[in-house]
Amino acid sequence: MLFGRNRKNPIKMVDKKAEKWTYATCGYCSVGCSIEIGTNADGKVVGSRGVGGADVNRGKLCVKGIFEYELFNSSGRGDKPLLRDSIVDSYKETDWDNATSVMANEINRIQETYGRDAFAVVSTGQLLTEEFYTLGKLTRGVIGTNNYDGNTTLCMASAVSGYKRSFGSDGPPGCYEDFEHTDCLMAWGSNLPEQHPIIYWRLQEAREKRSFPLIVIDPRVTMLAQKADIHLAVTPGTDVVLQNALMHVILNEGLEDKAYIEANTVGIDELKAEVQNYDPTTAAAICGIDEDTIRNVARIFAKAKTAMGIWTMGINQSTHGSDGVVGINNLSLITGNIGKPGGTSLSITGQCNAMGTREWSSCSGLPGYRYLENEQDRKDIGEFWNVDPDFFPTKRGLAQTDIFPAIETGQIKGLWLVATNPMTSMPNTERTRKILEKLDFLVVQDSYVDVETTQYAHLYLPAGTWAEKEGVFTNTERRVNIVRKVTDAPGDSKSDFDIFNLLAKQFAKTKEMTFPETPAGAFEEMKALSKGRLVDISGMDHDLIEKQRGIQWPYTQEQASKGELPPSGGKRLYTETATFRYADGKAKLIALPFIDNNERPDEKFPFWLNTGRLVEHFHTRTKTGKLGNTNKYSPIPFMEINPDAAQSLGIEQGEYVRCVSRRGDAIVMAMLTQRVARNAVFIPFHFFDCVNRLTLGLLDPHSRQPAYKQSAITIEILKDQQAAAQMSMEMRRF
Ligand code: SF4
């Protein structure tokens, strides 16, 4: 007789008859899982699987990766360039020569009429790094606009800004392996199980082998908070107050690492003076964490042999995002927890190649973490690209979130959007809609023709996606990993790399630059430019990257020529004394006075609105909204609301409600849960015409990243549930 588990039928995997498996890196989140894509005898893509020997995911994938192969047959793909006919106001198919010629002419016309910066470029975190590099070369070296940014301003700008302010350069100093060494992990606004499931699995595995305290700071009882030893349900937008209070305790009780501070940092006196204003009793009244817990957590963190801080959008998407990152860095620095196994300050990035754009796109500077503000950097790149260094601006132009208001006020007349969908992703949808309608010339370059933003375009350029192309991504732990081409892009669509090269040729009549013709050629240019830099990739090549299942930078030519195999490259940064990127080699401890400038709940709008992501979906659902298995698990917009709040409003589980803010309204289904406080709700950010109709998105002064997570709303019951259901379905888009 069979008992328990043995009585059940074993799970049977359908044999999809894959005959060939091609290596790639997952094209969704920044974890950077190694994935293989199966094709059958007819060359049809039939499956995805994790790669067992890859250090990042060790054979595993999350739900998005498992079904990622379905992308190649998803609906809504663009397969021809489309040009709007202004007389009949509809699109007509055109060929690439005409499309790129019209685009180059319009860019020239706008720049000649209104100035170089009147044409703006906003790209993404989802291109391959070689494509970012080529777009940067085209934008900085040929088009010459300074209003060039990535949509990474919506997710990672605060991390970049905070790293630069603390360490003198961007570049996360730690790695996933640090989970295996740490004695305490503090997670700030990071819900790993839903946002970065495979990193979460690495963390859980480390905790199962070797228990260490997990402290989660999040206003919401997220999945990660449910696994925490200590959960601090901080008042939205007050992380900096909590950080200051923790430092107050550490410094006042003499728990800091004095030798490390002395050898590696400047600014301790100013920091000490500032945190005196944040004794735990005072801080508790602002951040909502009781004073004993503040003291307890500060002591646990400071007394741990090694401790690490990680964070995601809960810190970044705030009016104090950059300060929040600096605060985490401060905590690591005063306790001597940078550059050692288990002791680090690690931003968990969002998109698959948010790091690649930071390193090589030239969005906020020049390639390889070079600065426009630095004369030598301008000279080096000018010589390498054959561009007069004086052609480069001497300081960074507008961020994405400032480009849109500049369109509103008429400073910017033309915009090129590459693989980004601001109609769904930007705060205050109505304002974004009016801004896009104001443009003289909008180009949308995207794999999908049916993204919401396309309807405002004058020109649409169809691009290949993910493994329809070849090149590298960099993940959150600085691991460069490769995507090999599996199949062709549909119809007449082209890789982004080829589109940039076609455009470069349109401008080549007047400019003396050469562009590599292949991604491998672009990678060689990046390698040459990386030599001796923090982001040194000169020892890598595409084949070695695949062989090693990804290599963390820095990995130098010297290491490669000595035959030192990765990971002798860069598991960690700043491992030696005083090797930070400021001229004196020392990191800055920066005092962080707290200014309370968020929109807050009041009598008229009594609920905090928090936004975030779901495990099944990626960003604006451009891809995952099309895939049966991911969309099926999470098909409609909903709102988490506390059962007590729901009861007081007369709202039942599963009813549709109308949320209203000072900007607009949205219909969502109510899901009753204790995960949110009585005065707070949570709505996922993936759906069109939904939560971003409500958000305010005040900007961080350093990073220009919007505060998506601190808006105020009210909630109305809807009498006609059938009509509400219909409206909610319309928001599904697909
Ligand atoms: Fe892809 Fe991220 Fe899931 Fe890994 S965790 S399979 S990188 S979406």
Side-chain angles (χ1 to χ4, degrees):
M1 190 173 177
L2 295 171
F3 291 99
R5 177 155 31 146
N6 294 335
R7 278 201 309 180
K8 292 186 178 171
N9 290 328
I11 294 169
K12 286 189 187 123
M13 302 296 286
V14 181
D15 181 2
K16 294 183 175 165
K17 310 245 181 309
E19 297 219 332
K20 183 181 163 204
W21 291 94
T22 305
Y23 185 84
T25 309
C26 176
Y28 287 119
C29 87
S30 67
V31 176
C33 294
S34 290
I35 187 168
E36 284 178 332
I37 303 149
T39 38
N40 68 14
D42 302 328
K44 188 169 178 275
V45 178
V46 290
S48 328
R49 68 183 185 192
V51 178
D55 186 55
V56 167
N57 51 315
R58 301 168 187 181
K60 292 188 167 47
L61 294 173
C62 80
V63 65
K64 290 191 286 293
I66 289 168
F67 296 112
E68 199 164 6
Y69 72 95
E70 293 183 356
L71 262 187
F72 300 111
N73 296 312
S74 55
S75 62
R77 294 294 301 274
D79 60 2
K80 289 254 189 266
L82 301 173
L83 192 57
R84 188 185 291 278
D85 182 326
S86 56
I87 299 167
V88 288
D89 196 25
S90 68
Y91 287 117
K92 280 197 174 142
E93 289 181 1
T94 188
D95 58 38
W96 280 101
D97 193 43
N98 187 46
T100 50
S101 163
V102 167
M103 185 168 166
N105 287 341
E106 276 299 292
I107 293 172
N108 284 333
R109 181 189 64 78
I110 287 169
Q111 291 188 313
E112 279 161 20
T113 314
Y114 304 103
R116 255 167 63 173
D117 294 340
F119 186 81
V121 182
V122 174
S123 100
T124 176
Q126 288 169 58
L127 300 186
L128 296 155
T129 310
E130 294 84 347
E131 296 176 329
F132 281 133
Y133 172 75
T134 308
L135 175 62
K137 193 168 176 178
L138 176 66
T139 304
R140 290 270 176 227
V142 179
I143 297 173
T145 176
N146 197 17
N147 292 327
Y148 165 43
D149 197 21
N151 68 8
T152 40
T153 288
L154 306 184
C155 55
M156 290 317 300
S158 295
V160 174
S161 163
Y163 275 141
K164 283 181 178 172
R165 290 166 70 200
S166 294
F167 304 148
S169 173
D170 186 19
C175 57
Y176 306 155
E177 195 201 274
D178 284 321
F179 298 142
E180 290 159 29
H181 302 284
T182 197
D183 296 300
C184 175
L185 188 136
M186 209 184 272
W188 298 83
S190 178
N191 183 18
L192 287 177
E194 291 205 67
Q195 296 164 346
H196 303 92
I198 299 300
I199 298 185
Y200 172 66
W201 166 71
R202 292 278 303 263
L203 170 65
Q204 271 303 92
E205 196 179 59
R207 290 182 82 211
E208 278 162 20
K209 285 186 187 154
R210 200 179 47 83
S211 178
F212 55 86
L214 171 64
I215 300 158
V216 173
I217 300 101
D218 203 305
R220 187 167 157 244
V221 190
T222 60
M223 281 193 202
L224 190 66
Q226 288 167 39
K227 297 284 179 187
D229 298 292
I230 304 174
H231 171 214
L232 309 184
V234 68
T235 301
T238 63
D239 312 85
V240 168
V241 175
L242 177 58
Q243 291 165 350
N244 281 339
L246 294 172
M247 286 187 275
H248 176 105
V249 176
I250 292 168
L251 294 171
N252 282 29
E253 295 188 5
L255 301 176
E256 74 273 30
D257 184 336
K258 293 187 182 69
Y260 184 89
I261 293 169
E262 171 67 26
N264 291 283
T265 70
V266 294
I268 185 65
D269 293 339
E270 293 82 353
L271 182 69
K272 243 183 204 166
E274 180 61 33
V275 301
Q276 290 317 305
N277 302 321
Y278 298 87
D279 64 88
T281 316
T282 306
I286 306 169
C287 70
I289 308 300
D290 70 83
E291 56 185 286
D292 286 338
T293 301
I294 292 173
R295 289 192 190 94
N296 187 28
V297 166
R299 289 166 191 152
I300 291 171
F301 187 82
K303 288 180 181 176
K305 206 165 147 218
T306 59
M308 61 190 288
I310 63 168
W311 75 93
T312 315
M313 301 313 152
I315 287 290
N316 292 337
Q317 292 179 334
S318 156
T319 49
H320 314 98
S322 176
D323 280 357
V325 174
V326 170
I328 295 168
N329 295 340
N330 280 347
L331 275 162
S332 294
L333 288 166
I334 65 168
T335 53
N337 278 304
I338 293 288
K340 63 185 189 189
T344 194
S345 163
L346 183 65
S347 68
I348 309 288
T349 52
Q351 301 175 74
C352 52
N353 206 14
M355 284 290 292
T357 193
R358 284 155 69 170
E359 295 155 7
W360 292 105
S361 74
S362 309
C363 273
S364 61
L366 290 166
Y369 290 150
R370 288 177 173 85
Y371 289 91
L372 286 162
E373 292 78 1
N374 183 308
E375 192 181 350
Q376 190 60 47
D377 287 350
R378 295 197 302 274
K379 195 161 166 277
D380 290 348
I381 296 299
E383 272 170 19
F384 193 86
W385 283 353
N386 196 22
V387 173
D388 181 349
D390 290 341
F391 187 68
F392 298 134
T394 53
K395 64 173 189 179
R396 185 195 169 166
L398 298 176
Q400 177 184 359
T401 44
D402 292 311
I403 285 173
F404 278 67
I407 297 168
E408 202 169 36
T409 53
Q411 288 162 265
I412 291 175
K413 302 286 186 184
L415 177 64
W416 178 14
L417 295 172
V418 184
T420 188
N421 184 18
M423 275 303 296
T424 302
S425 60
M426 287 282 282
N428 197 344
T429 309
E430 266 321 292
R431 186 178 176 198
T432 305
R433 190 189 311 274
K434 285 181 192 149
I435 288 170
L436 292 178
E437 282 172 347
K438 234 184 141 180
L439 284 159
D440 283 8
F441 186 62
L442 172 65
V443 186
V444 171
Q445 177 172 327
D446 204 291
S447 308
Y448 290 86
V449 70
D450 61 358
V451 287
E452 292 81 10
T453 307
T454 306
Q455 61 185 301
Y456 302 93
H458 300 89
L459 176 65
Y460 165 76
L461 303 177
T465 188
W466 188 43
E468 293 165 353
K469 313 184 286 184
E470 190 144 313
V472 300
F473 292 151
T474 309
N475 79 351
T476 252
E477 58 169 359
R478 289 170 286 100
R479 187 181 298 272
V480 180
N481 211 343
I482 193 156
V483 178
R484 296 291 192 189
K485 183 173 170 178
V486 173
T487 185
D488 289 331
D492 274 352
S493 55
K494 290 188 181 296
S495 72
D496 296 278
F497 185 85
D498 287 344
I499 297 172
F500 301 145
N501 269 308
L502 276 181
L503 271 159
K505 287 197 178 99
Q506 291 288 350
F507 288 95
K509 291 152 199 161
T510 53
K511 303 281 175 192
E512 296 300 316
M513 285 174 73
T514 53
F515 282 75
E517 289 182 359
T518 62
F523 194 76
E524 287 304 313
E525 287 199 8
M526 290 154 46
K527 279 169 64 173
L529 284 171
S530 78
K531 273 186 199 158
R533 311 280 309 171
L534 183 69
V535 57
D536 195 325
I537 56 169
S538 59
M540 301 183 195
D541 61 55
H542 280 182
D543 289 342
L544 185 64
I545 291 168
E546 178 175 346
K547 190 168 159 228
Q548 296 301 124
R549 280 39 182 133
I551 305 171
Q552 286 167 281
W553 61 254
Y555 182 66
T556 65
Q557 199 173 37
E558 290 69 41
Q559 287 171 304
S561 57
K562 275 194 246 159
E564 286 178 25
L565 276 176
S568 63
K571 276 192 187 176
R572 297 175 187 87
L573 304 180
Y574 315 126
T575 51
E576 309 290 324
T577 301
T579 49
F580 292 97
R581 303 303 284 185
Y582 281 111
D584 60 0
K586 296 200 172 179
K588 282 191 180 157
L589 291 167
I590 300 170
L592 303 168
F594 174 68
I595 301 155
D596 190 1
N597 59 352
N598 283 309
E599 184 176 59
R600 300 179 69 86
D602 56 20
E603 217 172 296
K604 199 164 169 208
F605 299 98
F607 290 91
W608 282 108
L609 168 64
N610 186 2
T611 77
R613 66 184 103 179
L614 306 170
V615 68
E616 298 87 1
H617 285 300
F618 186 71
H619 281 209
T620 65
R621 292 168 69 249
T622 310
K623 293 175 178 174
T624 51
K626 304 280 179 48
L627 308 187
N629 280 306
T630 47
N631 202 39
K632 198 159 52 185
Y633 297 146
S634 194
I636 57 164
F638 65 89
M639 171 186 72
E640 290 182 356
I641 181 169
N642 185 284
D644 291 342
Q647 193 184 30
S648 69
L649 293 169
I651 296 168
E652 304 275 340
Q653 165 78 14
E655 270 188 341
Y656 288 95
V657 295
R658 180 168 172 256
C659 298
V660 184
S661 77
R662 290 180 178 86
R663 274 71 57 193
D665 62 350
I667 310 273
V668 288
M669 181 186 271
M671 307 290 286
L672 276 51
T673 171
Q674 301 284 355
R675 284 169 65 144
V676 287
R678 207 178 181 286
N679 67 342
V681 300
F682 170 85
I683 301 178
F685 66 45
H686 307 288
F687 295 88
F688 172 56
D689 253 350
C690 188
V691 75
N692 281 327
R693 288 168 63 95
L694 306 169
T695 48
L696 170 57
L698 282 178
L699 300 181
D700 178 283
H702 298 278
S703 68
R704 313 306 287 158
Q705 183 156 350
Y708 283 100
K709 292 171 177 290
Q710 295 101 29
S711 304
I713 63 162
T714 188
I715 301 163
E716 296 173 2
I717 301 176
L718 289 164
K719 289 214 178 78
D720 189 343
Q721 286 290 307
Q722 223 170 355
Q726 184 58 36
M727 284 170 77
S728 174
M729 288 294 282
E730 280 164 19
M731 285 177 197
R732 289 177 59 174
R733 181 159 57 109
F734 308 122

